[in-house]
């Protein structure tokens, strides 16, 4: 079975494709025709791999979490994407796409961002490689994520507020697409996850696939086995999971687990659990599962973690869900918070709230003593300190009572 690669039209089973306004055809077609040849060329790989190693700090460690393993009676390894430059896996993709844009002769980069992590990664790549950078961000997210807005500005990016709709991530994507239509010859749109029209899901998955490539090598070095029994990752659009699954998805003996953001609960009306709540639809240029009304209006998602607060899921993951190749768990805000504090206390690692959703699967499923589980720790928790502090304060107030 080939789960890894889409067909020539960008379909993973029933999902994917390129549903775009006519004005974007030339750009998207240019990408479709050229992306594989460019990114697989020796010259590109040399520059990209050099930057991953010496600038991003790869390979990131695969860390055997002894204390966590004892508690959950299994062998738990953490893939430390939190130790990448800029604090998450997003930089793997941003650097790759900005390098690609340069080779396509583009001088101007646009990106969308929700929590600001992808915006910071893209602004970083543009500062390094000397391209103009414009980041679209929902007006409400700009208020919620002030430190990342400051970082982007210091890195030289222009941050433009998206003021339509709910003023959050999906509106920022719409603004970015509008910009791309108006500036198609000079501009490349760096999409931040495995979403968007073909070839973006495949392009982003390939740049993130370094995660599972390293896991294979590092696990073999540490255990004599290349394949774990399980790989667990959180999914917003799905890029860290796609990267962590990539070299395992076509090997049937590796079980894959996805953690979605349940928000306040699947049936609470405040959730982002797309595979539970979504139906077939088109969002941001591809056909996939989308949280929408019967009339096709997008339903506002909710998650405590801004990075998972997205009403869709990439076509790669929709296909894994439909074919039951991966098992999907919905993790609520409180469960993620609990797991974030547990990892911090037990292993001395403060995870991003997004990554904490993947950790929370440990409480939902029993594993055997000799089973090897790899969890993708997609990012670090610096950006979430305000939320964690609030939880600490709420906790100590309750203790006083
Ligand atoms: C953006 C982000 C995510 C969610 O995006 P994916 O494309 O699903 O990986 C998860 N974790 C962190 C730390 C992020 O910054």
């Amino acid at each position: 079975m080939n789960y890894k690669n889409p067909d020539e039209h960008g379909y993973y089973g029933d999902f994917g494709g390129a549903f775009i306004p006519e004005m974007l055809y030339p750009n998207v077609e240019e990408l479709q025709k050229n992306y594989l040849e460019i990114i697989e060329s020796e010259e590109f790989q040399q520059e990209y791999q050099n930057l991953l190693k010496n600038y991003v700090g790869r390979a990131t460690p695969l860390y055997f979490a002894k204390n966590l393993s004892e508690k959950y009676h299994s062998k738990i390894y953490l893939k430390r994407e939190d130790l990448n430059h800029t604090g998450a896996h997003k930089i793997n993709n941003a650097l790759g796409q900005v390098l690609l844009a340069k080779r396509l002769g583009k001088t101007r980069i646009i990106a969308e961002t929700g929590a600001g992590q992808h915006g910071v990664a893209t602004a970083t790549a543009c500062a390094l490689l000397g391209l103009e950078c414009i980041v679209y961000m929902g007006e409400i997210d700009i208020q919620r994520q002030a430190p990342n807005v400051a970082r982007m500005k210091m890195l030289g990016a222009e941050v433009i507020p998206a003021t339509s709709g709910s003023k959050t991530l999906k509106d920022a994507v719409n603004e970015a697409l509008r910009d791309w239509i108006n500036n198609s010859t000079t501009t490349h749109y760096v999409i931040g996850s495995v979403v968007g029209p073909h070839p973006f899901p495949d392009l982003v998955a390939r740049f993130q696939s370094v995660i599972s490539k390293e896991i294979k090598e590092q696990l073999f070095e540490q255990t004599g086995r290349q394949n774990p029994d399980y790989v667990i990752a959180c999914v917003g659009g799905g890029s860290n999971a796609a990267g962590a699954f990539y070299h395992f998805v076509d090997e049937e003996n590796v079980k894959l687990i996805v953690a979605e953001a349940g928000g306040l609960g699947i049936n609470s009306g405040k959730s982002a659990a797309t595979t539970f709540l979504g139906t077939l639809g088109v969002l941001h240029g591809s056909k996939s599962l989308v949280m929408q009304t019967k009339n096709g209006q997008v339903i506002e998602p909710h998650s405590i973690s801004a990075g998972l607060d997205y009403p869709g899921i990439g076509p790669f993951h929709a296909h894994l869900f439909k074919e039951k190749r991966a098992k999907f768990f919905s993790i609520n805000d409180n469960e993620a918070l609990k797991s974030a504090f547990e990892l911090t206390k037990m292993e001395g690692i403060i995870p991003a709230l997004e990554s904490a959703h993947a950790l929370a699967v440990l409480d939902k499923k029993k594993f055997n003593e000799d089973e090897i589980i790899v969890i993708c720790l997609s990012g670090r928790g610096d950006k979430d300190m305000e939320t964690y502090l609030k939880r600490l304060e709420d906790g100590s107030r309750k203790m006083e009572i």
Side-chain angles (χ1 to χ4, degrees):
M1 190 74 196
N2 171 22
Y3 287 102
K4 196 162 65 184
N5 298 312
D7 69 17
E8 59 182 312
H9 303 294
Y11 277 88
Y12 301 84
D14 298 337
F15 309 102
F19 296 79
I20 45 172
E22 205 174 319
M23 311 262 295
L24 273 182
Y25 274 162
N27 265 32
V28 170
E29 219 174 18
E30 180 187 27
L31 262 184
Q32 288 174 353
K33 284 203 175 119
N34 296 303
Y35 81 109
L36 280 179
E37 195 184 325
I38 294 176
I39 69 173
E40 284 176 353
S41 73
E42 202 171 309
E43 194 202 345
F44 182 93
Q45 280 299 324
Q46 237 172 32
E47 189 173 1
Y48 181 52
Q49 296 300 335
N50 178 46
L51 286 175
L52 286 184
K53 181 176 175 203
N54 298 308
Y55 184 74
V56 175
R58 302 204 72 94
T60 59
L62 181 71
Y63 166 67
F64 175 62
K66 184 164 169 287
N67 300 329
L68 215 56
S69 297
E70 267 167 24
K71 171 162 184 197
Y72 290 101
H73 307 292
S74 54
K75 298 188 178 122
I76 300 168
Y77 290 81
L78 304 177
K79 183 55 174 162
R80 299 289 311 275
E81 292 302 297
D82 60 313
L83 294 177
N84 283 322
H85 180 43
T86 69
H89 63 292
K90 298 256 166 45
I91 190 80
N92 304 328
N93 167 53
L95 265 179
Q97 282 203 50
V98 174
L99 282 175
L100 171 63
K102 273 190 99 159
R103 279 169 171 75
L104 290 169
K106 310 290 179 183
T107 54
R108 185 172 172 273
I109 294 293
I110 56 174
E112 85 295 339
T113 198
Q117 291 298 101
H118 174 57
V120 168
T122 306
T124 299
C126 288
L128 177 73
L129 299 166
L131 277 83
E132 185 187 351
C133 181
I134 290 101
V135 179
Y136 288 92
M137 190 168 184
E139 201 171 35
I140 289 182
D141 290 334
I142 288 181
Q143 290 160 13
R144 289 196 289 202
Q145 310 288 339
N148 273 342
V149 176
R151 281 185 195 108
M152 286 183 263
K153 287 186 174 162
M154 185 162 172
L155 287 159
E158 184 186 351
V159 181
I160 301 183
T163 54
S164 63
S166 57
K167 307 182 174 65
T168 57
L169 179 59
K170 73 171 171 48
D171 311 291
V173 177
N174 290 333
E175 293 295 326
L177 285 168
R178 203 164 299 149
D179 178 313
W180 207 21
I181 290 171
N182 292 331
N183 301 286
S184 56
T185 49
T186 58
T187 300
H188 175 71
Y189 177 14
V190 177
I191 291 186
S193 190
V194 286
V195 299
H198 173 60
F200 280 104
D202 186 44
L203 179 65
V204 177
R206 282 170 189 265
F207 286 137
Q208 294 295 357
S209 70
V210 65
I211 299 173
S212 49
K213 180 171 171 283
E214 288 174 6
I215 293 172
K216 259 185 190 282
E217 293 162 2
Q218 292 167 323
L219 199 64
F220 183 71
E221 221 178 85
Q222 294 181 40
T223 69
R225 279 175 58 176
Q226 284 198 344
N227 289 356
D229 296 291
Y230 290 90
V231 183
I232 307 178
C234 67
V235 162
S239 69
N240 86 90
F245 293 171
Y246 198 83
H247 292 288
F248 299 116
V249 69
D250 291 325
E251 307 210 12
E252 275 163 29
N253 61 346
V254 183
K255 297 177 208 74
L256 308 175
I257 296 182
V258 168
E260 284 189 315
L264 300 182
I266 293 178
N267 298 315
S268 66
K270 286 196 156 291
S271 178
T274 309
T275 60
F276 293 91
L277 299 169
T279 51
L280 190 65
V282 171
L283 180 66
H284 300 143
S286 66
K287 195 193 279 183
S288 193
L289 294 171
V290 182
M291 287 169 48
Q292 57 188 337
T293 64
K294 284 204 177 73
N295 303 324
Q297 293 298 308
V298 171
I299 295 172
E300 278 310 311
H302 164 83
S303 167
I304 192 170
S305 84
L308 304 184
D309 204 348
Y310 185 68
I313 185 172
F316 171 80
H317 298 287
H319 186 49
L320 296 186
F321 176 72
K322 190 176 172 210
E323 296 297 317
K324 300 192 165 58
R325 173 64 186 93
K327 196 166 161 53
F328 284 67
F329 285 89
S330 162
I331 305 296
N332 294 350
D333 290 353
N334 272 329
E335 294 167 333
L337 273 170
K338 181 168 168 269
S339 292
F341 277 90
E342 180 179 272
L343 184 74
T344 305
K345 288 230 174 88
M346 293 185 71
E347 299 284 351
I349 299 169
I350 302 179
L353 262 169
E354 291 83 0
S355 321
H357 286 70
L359 293 162
V361 171
L362 293 171
D363 261 332
K364 300 243 154 180
K365 183 174 164 48
K366 281 244 169 307
F367 298 97
N368 296 333
E369 294 262 350
D370 56 351
E371 281 181 323
I372 294 180
I373 299 151
V374 173
I375 301 176
C376 187
L377 206 69
S378 53
R380 67 179 82 131
D382 304 25
K383 68 184 177 55
D384 299 312
M385 285 317 295
E386 203 177 310
T387 309
Y388 291 154
L389 267 176
K390 190 167 172 294
R391 168 80 167 197
L392 273 176
E393 283 160 9
D394 289 353
S396 57
R397 212 172 296 136
K398 273 182 206 139
M399 300 271 279
E400 280 162 26
I401 300 165

